[in-house]
Amino acid sequence: MSTPPEVPEDVGRDLLREGYLADEGLATAIFLALRLGRPLFLEGEPGVGKTEVAKVLARITGGELLRLQCYEGIDAAQALYEWDYARQMLHLRVAEATGALSGGATNEVESQLYSERFLIRRPLLRALEASVDGVPPVLLIDELDRADDEFEAFLLEILADSAVTIPELGTIRAEVPPVVVITSNRTRDVHDALKRRCLYHWVDHPTFEREVAIVRLRVPEVDDVLARQAAAAVAELRERGLYKPPGVAETIDWVQALQAIGRSALDDASVDATLGTVVKHREDLERVRSAGVADLVKAAVARAR
């Protein structure tokens, strides 16, 4: 994608060509983010395809994918930059051994310690410098809801100005702003100040027919009966009040697992044996089994017709 798309339908076709089936709302949100140069904030349940959007965008645009995985306690050293302390110390020892620290050269040696040669670039800083021939990188800030409030505040300058200030070097500004995708599983609310700098889209679980189409797209060799029955079973599971309802990623994994054991349709024994592929918490497994695997299969078969 050498130029921004002209209409949202262009984005939908590009995504589909890369194996991602987006609905009209998501395709439009991505289109606007690309056309307006705004970060895209994607929120939704785990496994609905938020992270995959950034990966596919990198393939479409040809930009480098830079992923920052958020976690509790993440700070600038992990996200932006840090100084290479080991190399700085080695530089000082070499300077001492060669006599470079004597006389008036001390200040020069010390200033060299905080030059770019000793700078370790983390994903945020790399994203400001990684454009190639005018093609911006794709910066994925994944699961921002896992980070602290302070880290959100730290991101505001980068999101607003595509720039960051390093005290020893000054302000570094992107010649070509990166394409920014931020994801959240909504384990906590992200502050309005950050959301105001982004375009927002809620990524929901797909409809039954769309999920079947996604399975066929990602597992092209799948039997049609198995694709429909597995998608129907997952839809049933999402309606049962599980602690962690399965996402599309789990549906795809489940279909592949059932294929691997030679199944072309659901049956009680194979569903029970592979249930851990689609349900990932002990309490949820117990709830599904106590309600009856046979009932789940029966409901899925009926729903898939």
Side-chain angles (χ1 to χ4, degrees), residues 3 21 40 47 78 83 89 91 131 169 175 227 237 245 263 300 305:
T3 58
L21 183 60
L40 178 61
Q78 289 84 37
W83 296 105
M89 292 302 297
H91 182 71
S131 63
L169 298 176
E175 292 184 8
L237 289 171
R263 299 296 186 270
R305 289 178 182 145

Side-chain angles (χ1 to χ4, degrees), residues 8-9 11-12 15 20-34 40-43 48-54 57 181 199-204 210 214:
E9 289 76 11
V11 172
L15 292 170
Y20 191 101
L21 183 60
D23 60 23
E24 182 180 359
L26 178 57
T28 301
I30 296 171
F31 166 78
L32 292 173
L34 294 173
L40 178 61
F41 188 94
L42 300 177
E43 200 165 41
V48 294
K50 304 183 296 297
T51 299
E52 193 66 20
V53 167
L57 274 178
V181 177
L199 300 180
Y200 177 87
H201 185 77
W202 174 266
V203 184
D204 208 347
R210 179 172 291 276
I214 292 170

